[in-house]
């Protein structure tokens, strides 16, 4: 009983020290003495979280967590990069149309009449081209890009899964902390 009493006294002293330190922190933030702080109400409502199932809270957290959504988009992008890398094996078809105007002008002397001859010409030309490229083999470059994209996708999947598990754990811990906090206040 004496040991429990001494522990309770030590806890009160520790709590008072924490309160004093927090008052000093408040003074530091506001540059004013905090004065008398309001106390908790006598009848403090301690409602438990609704719904009372932590798995429902986890479901909402996983669905609405912006960091997890970011990792999901990174995973989608990594999957798209695999398809882009695989496209290196496909043939490509390029087309071009070039339309040019080449004006020319000049002076020349005719040998028959001894007169100056002036010429102003415009030449229009149109060029149409189609190029088909069929990749045969490029030293394993395309296969290497595909493998790298797959590894990047796997890393993105791991990061997504890690973040999802972190969100689930954090949500469950927060739920339990609310329940424990309400019990402690009671």
């Amino acid at each position: 009983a004496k040991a429990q009493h001494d522990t309770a006294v030590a806890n009160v002293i520790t709590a008072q020290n924490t309160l004093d330190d927090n008052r000093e922190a408040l003074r530091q933030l506001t540059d004013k003495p905090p004065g008398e702080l309001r106390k908790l109400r006598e009848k403090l409502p301690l409602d438990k979280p609704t719904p009372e199932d932590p798995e429902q809270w986890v479901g909402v957290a996983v669905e609405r967590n912006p960091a997890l959504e970011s990792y999901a988009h990174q995973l989608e992008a990594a999957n798209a990069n695999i398809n882009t890398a695989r496209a290196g094996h496909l043939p490509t078809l390029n087309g071009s149309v070039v339309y040019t105007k080449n004006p020319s002008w000049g002076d020349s002397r005719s040998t028959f009449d001894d007169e100056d001859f002036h010429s102003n010409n415009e030449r229009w030309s149109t060029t149409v081209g189609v190029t088909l490229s069929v990749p045969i083999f490029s030293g394993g470059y395309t296969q290497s890009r595909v493998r790298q994209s797959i590894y990047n996708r796997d890393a993105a999947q791991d990061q997504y899964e890690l973040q999802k598990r972190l969100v689930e754990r954090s949500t469950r811990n927060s739920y339990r902390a609310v329940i424990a906090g309400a019990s402690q206040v009671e």
Side-chain angles (χ1 to χ4, degrees), residues 37-66:
L37 299 175
R38 293 180 60 180
K39 297 187 189 288
L40 290 176
R41 296 181 296 196
E42 287 297 321
K43 197 75 167 146
L44 186 65
L46 299 173
D47 299 333
K48 292 193 174 20
T50 307
E52 289 188 24
D53 180 21
E55 293 310 311
Q56 287 181 334
W57 288 97
V58 168
V60 170
V62 166
E63 180 182 321
R64 296 186 184 168
N65 186 284

Side-chain angles (χ1 to χ4, degrees), residues 88-110:
H89 292 291
L90 302 176
T92 57
L93 183 65
N94 293 320
S96 64
V97 176
V98 179
Y99 186 64
T100 58
K101 173 183 174 183
N102 295 321
S104 66
W105 55 91
D107 292 330
S108 63
R109 184 168 271 263
S110 173

Side-chain angles (χ1 to χ4, degrees), residues 15 18 21 33 42 51 95 140-141 179:
T18 302
D21 183 51
E42 287 297 321
Y141 175 72
I179 299 296

Side-chain angles (χ1 to χ4, degrees), residues 2-186:
K2 174 116 172 84
Q4 284 182 342
H5 177 308
D6 292 343
T7 301
V9 169
N11 287 342
V12 168
I13 292 171
T14 301
Q16 186 62 47
N17 286 341
T18 302
L19 177 63
D20 292 340
D21 183 51
N22 289 338
R23 283 177 167 273
E24 286 302 317
L26 186 58
R27 179 192 310 263
Q28 178 185 358
L29 284 174
T30 62
D31 198 26
K32 295 179 182 173
E36 192 60 35
L37 299 175
R38 293 180 60 180
K39 297 187 189 288
L40 290 176
R41 296 181 296 196
E42 287 297 321
K43 197 75 167 146
L44 186 65
L46 299 173
D47 299 333
K48 292 193 174 20
T50 307
E52 289 188 24
D53 180 21
E55 293 310 311
Q56 287 181 334
W57 288 97
V58 168
V60 170
V62 166
E63 180 182 321
R64 296 186 184 168
N65 186 284
L68 190 58
E69 190 172 334
S70 170
Y71 282 108
H73 289 305
Q74 289 176 15
L75 181 58
E76 286 176 30
N79 278 325
N81 286 342
I82 292 173
N83 293 334
T84 302
R86 284 185 178 142
H89 292 291
L90 302 176
T92 57
L93 183 65
N94 293 320
S96 64
V97 176
V98 179
Y99 186 64
T100 58
K101 173 183 174 183
N102 295 321
S104 66
W105 55 91
D107 292 330
S108 63
R109 184 168 271 263
S110 173
T111 55
F112 296 110
D113 343 12
D114 217 18
E115 289 185 15
D116 287 335
F117 178 67
H118 300 288
S119 66
N120 291 330
N121 293 326
E122 288 184 354
R123 180 176 289 172
W124 297 87
S125 66
T126 304
T127 306
V128 177
V130 177
T131 306
L132 175 66
S133 298
V134 179
I136 297 173
F137 185 71
S138 59
Y141 175 72
T142 304
Q143 292 92 339
S144 174
R145 283 185 49 213
V146 170
R147 280 194 308 271
Q148 181 64 43
S149 296
I150 290 171
Y151 294 144
N152 289 341
R153 189 261 331 260
D154 292 346
Q157 175 69 38
D158 291 344
Q159 286 298 317
Y160 173 79
E161 192 61 36
L162 180 66
Q163 183 67 26
K164 181 179 176 206
R165 290 176 186 178
L166 179 65
V167 166
E168 290 173 351
R169 175 182 170 207
S170 173
T171 303
R172 286 186 187 101
N173 283 342
S174 296
Y175 180 85
R176 287 190 294 265
V178 168
I179 299 296
S183 298
Q184 223 174 7
V185 171
E186 285 176 358

